[in-house]
């Protein structure tokens, strides 16, 4: 593959502005960021710092006002809505704070959902979904609905959903925010394990303790990024 | 996302909220039920009217002789003669009818006694079940013979054969030579409570010259108008231009009038039912709009993990289509049941046509698409970030 050298994410001078009550709000101010294959990046910042906006732009849920964004070698900052949806479907696995599982569907149906939109045939879809659920250790509970699962298990179903389509990047937005400390630790351990398996992970959090588990930490403040260099992963590798 | 997948999703979503889905469908169910049941009853009424008129004889003209002044001036032979002058006539049966009592031993019944000729059976589509009908020779020699209807035969003779027995009509003995096959009843009453005697004997018996009615069978339907004109011309010259003395009554005119009346009625019923379908459609739109708002978060999640506008649009469209289509199917079932119930309870004829059933089904599906379009479009247009943030 010739694109090995190409980073998964390359953002150049990206800005996002909102107009709020006649006042121009710079949620992102000429941000540049590069994420390589196999990276584990944490973006940390207090609320209102622009990290949600950055996450939306990285996740192709929102288009930037200006600047360039290459995702997996493809320029995605100026795409139409339908194309954006396609990119989200194929390149990004979302792990949300509130799990965002469909409560009416069983675990396996939830995991199958992105594959349905990708147009994977039923049989292959089922196999992929079961494999993804097995990866998160929930092969015994594939027919349970989210209400029948604990918070940690629900987040694992959500991780399985993100993994099912084998996207080049996993985007986790406060993945432990809705969990207690113990299960939060479990889930973080899990995410780290995925990283060691080769998945590229971008984690967004406000919690320094969570962010310290990443290989690389980037601070965001008032719409500007500030690289902290390599994380203190080595110090915490015992956890 | 393919159609079958969307269909499965829609079924799942409908089943997850059974009561609400049922209530939503109720409008369509009632509408389709009304269409199916009312049209079945309307068409049944049309059919029975048609059959009754046709049982009087197809291609049949009835000439009523009202007479000029106090005299009754068209004799049976004159009537036959007029019939012979007009082209396109197959049979001519003059008739003189009087309601009177007929007696056998001690049993007596009130029936219509018809004085007529041999053509009467052909014109009126009577069949003889035993014995024979009147023949020309009976008229020529003033025979006192009678042919009796099936009901009259049962009433007078029970289960014994009436052939060869004598009945008394106004005190005169008539020999029964034939019994008619059962024909059923029409708008003009039972066709089986009747006694037929030769026209010439009837004139003597009732002490009246001339006939009141002439039944004319036309050869083909196309000739009816010509025959009517021909008869009117002949009658006019017979009555010396007095057009009030006779009436030529066209059976097929009556048929088309009756049919158009009941067709209009059916159409009006279908229209009312169609309006209720439309109201049902608005009900579906209402619930779908609520559903879209309720499921904003779901839509956001689906969009975040890669659902395109079209996927969401199709999902909600199929959902409303399945709702209304299911309502249509239930409505067809209930409508067929209701029409059959009504026909049993009120002894009415019903006719189900596959056309109406198909139209009702596809119309209800179309209503689902039509009224689902707006909510589905609203869902498809939601922005994923805003939808995800929705609580």
């Amino acid at each position: 593959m010739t694109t090995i050298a190409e980073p998964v994410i390359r953002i150049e001078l990206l800005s996002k502005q909102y107009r709020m009550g006649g006042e121009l709000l710079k949620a992102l101010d000429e941000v540049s960021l590069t994420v390589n294959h196999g990276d584990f990046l944490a973006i940390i910042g207090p609320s209102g710092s622009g990290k949600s906006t950055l996450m939306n732009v990285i996740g192709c849920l929102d288009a930037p006002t200006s600047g360039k964004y290459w995702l997996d070698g493809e320029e995605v900052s100026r795409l139409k809505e339908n194309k954006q949806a396609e990119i989200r479907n194929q390149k990004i696995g979302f792990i949300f704070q509130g799990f965002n599982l469909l409560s009416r569907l069983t675990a396996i149906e939830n995991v199958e959902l992105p594959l349905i939109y990708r147009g994977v045939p039923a049989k292959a879809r089922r196999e992929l979904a079961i494999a993804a659920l097995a990866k998160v250790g929930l092969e015994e509970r594939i027919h349970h609905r989210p209400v029948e699962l604990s918070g940690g298990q629900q987040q694992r179903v959500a991780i399985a959903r993100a993994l099912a389509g084998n996207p080049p990047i996993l985007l986790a937005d406060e993945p432990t925010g809705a969990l207690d400390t113990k299960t939060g630790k479990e889930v973080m351990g899990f995410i780290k394990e995925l990283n060691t398996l080769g998945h590229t992970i971008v984690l967004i959090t406000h919690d320094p303790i969570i962010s310290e588990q990443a290989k690389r930490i980037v601070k965001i403040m008032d719409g500007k990024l500030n690289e902290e260099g390599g994380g203190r992963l080595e110090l915490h590798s015992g956890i | 996302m393919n159609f079958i997948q969307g269909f499965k999703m829609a079924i799942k979503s409908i089943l997850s909220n059974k009561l609400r889905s049922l209530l939503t469908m109720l409008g369509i169910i009632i509408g389709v039920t009304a269409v199916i049941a009312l049209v079945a009853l309307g068409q049944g009424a049309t059919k029975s009217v048609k059959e009754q008129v046709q049982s009087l004889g197809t291609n049949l003209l009835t000439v009523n002789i009202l007479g000029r002044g106090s005299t009754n001036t068209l004799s049976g032979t004159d009537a036959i003669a007029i019939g012979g002058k007009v082209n396109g006539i197959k049979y001519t049966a003059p008739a003189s009818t009087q309601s009177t009592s007929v007696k056998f031993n001690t049993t007596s019944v009130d029936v219509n006694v018809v004085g007529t000729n041999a053509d009467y059976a052909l014109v009126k589509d009577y069949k003889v079940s035993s014995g024979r009908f009147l023949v020309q020779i009976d008229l020529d020699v003033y025979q006192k013979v009678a042919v009796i209807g099936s009901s009259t035969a049962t009433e007078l003779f029970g289960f014994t054969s009436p052939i060869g027995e004598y009945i008394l009509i106004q005190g005169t003995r008539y020999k029964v030579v034939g019994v008619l096959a059962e024909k059923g009843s029409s708008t003009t009453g039972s066709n089986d409570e009747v006694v037929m005697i030769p026209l010439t004997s009837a004139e003597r018996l009732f002490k009246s010259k001339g006939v009141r009615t002439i039944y004319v069978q036309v050869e083909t339907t196309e000739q009816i108008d010509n025959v009517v004109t021909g008869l009117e011309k002949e009658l006019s010259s017979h009555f010396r231009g007095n057009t009030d003395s006779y009436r030529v009554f066209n059976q097929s005119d009556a048929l088309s009038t009756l049919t158009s009346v009941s067709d209009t009625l059916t159409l009006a019923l279908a229209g009312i039912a169609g309006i209720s379908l439309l109201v049902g459609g608005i009900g579906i739109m209402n619930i779908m709009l609520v559903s879209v708002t309720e499921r904003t978060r779901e839509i956001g999640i689906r969009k975040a993990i890669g659902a395109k506008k079209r996927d969401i649009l199709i999902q909600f469209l199929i959902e409303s289509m399945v709702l209304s289509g299911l309502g249509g199917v239930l409505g067809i079932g209930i409508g067929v049941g209701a029409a059959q119930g009504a026909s049993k309870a009120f002894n009415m004829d019903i006719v189900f046509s596959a056309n109406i059933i198909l139209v009702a089904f596809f119309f209800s599906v179309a209503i689902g698409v039509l009224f689902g379009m707006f909510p589905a479009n609203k869902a498809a247009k939601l922005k994923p970030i805003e939808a995800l943030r929705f609580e």
Side-chain angles (χ1 to χ4, degrees):
Chain A
M1 224 159 87
T2 50
T3 50
I4 286 286
E6 179 77 21
V8 189
I9 293 174
R10 186 147 63 88
I11 290 173
E12 273 175 16
L13 298 173
L14 197 93
S15 295
K16 177 79 189 173
Q17 294 165 346
Y18 291 108
R19 200 167 280 283
M20 245 180 197
E23 218 173 317
L24 207 62
L25 194 81
K26 286 184 180 170
L28 291 176
D29 191 5
E30 302 199 329
V31 168
S32 292
L33 180 72
T34 311
V35 181
N36 290 312
H37 279 280
D39 247 358
F40 185 178
L41 173 79
I43 297 170
I44 183 166
S47 58
S49 59
K51 66 177 193 301
S52 291
T53 310
L54 183 59
M55 133 107 190
N56 286 340
V57 171
I58 292 177
C60 281
L61 289 164
D62 208 353
T65 317
S66 65
K68 286 202 157 42
Y69 171 24
W70 285 269
L71 176 64
D72 204 25
E74 203 175 334
E75 159 68 308
V76 294
S77 60
R78 297 280 174 271
L79 290 179
K80 290 250 160 56
E81 221 181 299
N82 271 346
K83 193 76 185 140
Q84 270 188 348
E86 217 168 273
I87 296 286
R88 284 199 296 273
N89 185 241
Q90 291 176 358
K91 307 259 163 119
I92 298 162
F94 284 98
I95 302 165
F96 298 99
Q97 175 177 11
F99 321 136
N100 278 349
L101 297 172
L102 297 189
S103 55
R104 284 186 288 116
L105 305 184
T106 61
I108 186 154
E109 286 166 336
N110 265 296
V111 176
E112 275 183 285
L113 215 51
L115 302 172
I116 288 176
Y117 291 121
R118 195 183 284 191
V120 178
K123 203 162 166 262
R125 198 164 71 208
R126 212 178 152 71
E127 281 164 7
L128 281 171
I130 289 174
L133 279 165
K135 242 186 214 175
V136 297
L138 284 176
E139 61 269 65
E140 303 287 308
R141 296 178 183 272
I142 57 171
H143 293 303
H144 286 61
R145 283 167 200 283
V147 283
E148 297 158 353
L149 298 168
S150 72
Q153 285 169 334
Q154 285 184 48
Q155 192 58 298
R156 270 148 69 191
V157 172
I159 291 170
R161 181 177 65 187
L163 285 174
N166 201 23
I169 179 168
L170 289 181
L171 196 56
D173 179 20
E174 303 271 13
T176 59
L179 301 171
D180 58 67
T181 326
K182 191 169 159 278
T183 41
K185 252 183 199 162
E186 264 176 43
V187 166
M188 275 313 295
F190 216 83
I191 291 173
K192 274 203 288 192
E193 210 180 299
L194 289 174
N195 180 239
T196 56
L197 286 171
H199 291 277
T200 312
I201 292 162
V202 174
L203 178 81
I204 287 157
T205 182
H206 69 278
D207 186 350
I209 300 170
I210 299 290
S211 71
E212 275 165 19
Q213 310 195 34
K215 285 182 189 164
R216 230 178 105 195
I217 299 174
V218 165
K219 266 198 174 164
I220 184 164
M221 187 66 101
D222 297 330
K224 288 187 198 293
L225 277 187
N226 181 11
E227 186 106 10
E228 271 202 350
R232 281 169 280 169
L233 185 72
E234 292 75 25
L235 288 174
H236 294 267
S237 55
I239 295 172
Chain B
M1 191 179 70
N2 59 25
F3 195 79
I4 298 164
Q5 200 60 46
F7 204 75
K8 277 187 198 154
M9 277 187 196
I11 296 278
K12 189 161 282 177
S13 144
I14 286 166
L15 286 182
S16 73
N17 220 332
K18 289 189 194 70
L19 181 64
R20 183 202 278 190
S21 303
L22 190 72
L23 289 174
T24 311
M25 285 189 289
L26 209 56
I28 296 286
I29 293 176
I30 291 171
V32 173
T33 302
V35 169
I36 298 292
L38 293 181
V39 170
L41 289 171
Q43 287 187 337
T46 311
K47 189 182 146 224
S48 70
V49 165
K50 242 187 213 164
E51 274 175 0
Q52 279 178 9
V53 174
Q54 272 167 355
S55 76
L56 300 174
T58 41
N59 298 352
L60 187 67
L61 294 177
T62 310
V63 182
N64 287 319
I65 308 297
L66 308 169
R68 194 159 48 105
S70 57
T71 48
N72 214 349
T73 51
L74 192 75
S75 69
T77 40
D78 286 342
I80 303 282
I82 286 175
K85 280 187 214 164
V86 180
N87 280 331
I89 289 180
K90 209 169 173 189
Y91 307 116
T92 313
S96 177
T97 306
Q98 197 159 333
S99 181
T100 182
S101 72
V102 174
K103 222 173 143 186
F104 173 69
N105 288 344
T106 51
T107 333
S108 135
V109 286
D110 277 317
V111 289
N112 282 325
V113 176
V114 184
T116 186
N117 67 356
D119 279 357
Y120 190 77
L122 303 164
V123 169
K124 288 286 224 166
D125 204 22
Y126 275 111
K127 303 258 183 318
V128 175
S129 71
S130 65
R132 63 171 177 89
F133 198 71
L134 303 172
V135 290
Q136 189 56 41
I137 192 104
D138 292 332
L139 280 85
D140 294 345
V141 300
Y142 298 85
Q143 275 272 38
K144 286 185 187 142
V145 293
V147 176
I148 61 177
S150 61
S151 298
T152 312
T154 331
E155 278 174 60
L156 285 176
F157 297 97
F159 294 106
T160 57
S161 168
I163 309 287
E165 300 287 347
Y166 287 90
I167 53 174
L168 286 174
I169 305 172
Q170 291 185 351
T172 312
R173 274 156 54 96
Y174 279 78
K175 190 183 180 185
V176 177
V177 293
V179 179
L180 297 168
E182 198 179 320
K183 205 182 164 208
S185 54
S186 71
T187 36
T188 51
S190 172
N191 288 312
D192 298 323
E193 288 173 15
V194 73
V195 171
M196 291 162 197
I197 57 175
L199 179 64
T200 46
S201 314
E203 280 174 349
R204 279 190 179 173
L205 180 68
F206 301 145
K207 297 178 187 70
S208 70
K209 277 275 172 197
V211 291
R212 281 284 174 197
T213 320
I214 311 165
Y215 296 103
V216 174
Q217 171 112 41
V218 183
E219 274 168 6
T220 58
T221 324
E222 294 81 51
Q223 285 173 297
I224 283 180
D225 289 339
N226 287 336
V227 172
V228 169
T229 337
L231 281 175
E232 276 174 346
K233 203 177 133 225
E234 290 299 328
L235 287 164
S236 171
S237 72
H238 186 269
F239 287 104
R240 296 190 195 102
N242 188 343
T243 50
D244 288 339
S245 302
Y246 58 88
R247 283 268 178 285
V248 180
F249 183 70
N250 190 343
Q251 203 79 254
S252 63
D253 278 356
L255 182 65
S256 65
T257 311
L258 285 171
T259 318
S260 85
V261 165
S262 63
D263 277 351
T264 313
L265 209 70
T266 307
L267 209 67
L269 290 176
I272 292 167
I275 289 169
S276 74
L277 263 181
L278 215 66
V279 174
I282 294 168
I284 284 190
M285 177 156 78
N286 198 0
I287 290 299
M288 289 305 291
L289 279 173
V290 172
S291 174
V292 167
T293 311
E294 254 182 18
R295 286 154 69 186
T296 301
R297 203 175 167 78
E298 176 191 328
I299 295 162
I301 296 168
R302 285 180 185 274
K303 283 201 147 187
I305 61 172
K308 291 177 190 155
K309 246 183 182 176
R310 197 179 45 123
D311 295 327
I312 302 292
L313 186 84
I314 287 175
Q315 185 193 341
F316 278 86
L317 260 189
I318 289 180
E319 212 173 300
S320 71
M321 216 168 77
V322 168
L323 263 180
S324 65
L326 212 61
V329 169
L330 286 176
I332 287 168
I334 298 172
V336 168
Q340 264 161 357
S343 86
K344 284 227 174 72
F346 306 114
N347 200 18
M348 290 193 282
D349 277 332
I350 48 167
V351 176
F352 293 114
S353 71
N355 274 349
I356 292 293
I357 289 176
L358 281 179
V359 164
F361 175 71
F362 284 111
F363 192 61
S364 60
V365 171
I367 276 189
V369 175
L370 192 75
F371 288 96
M373 200 64 98
F374 176 57
N377 200 36
K378 197 181 162 198
K381 276 203 308 212
L382 284 173
K383 292 250 175 297
I385 341 168
E386 283 157 25
L388 272 175
R389 238 182 262 143
F390 185 85
E391 291 301 327

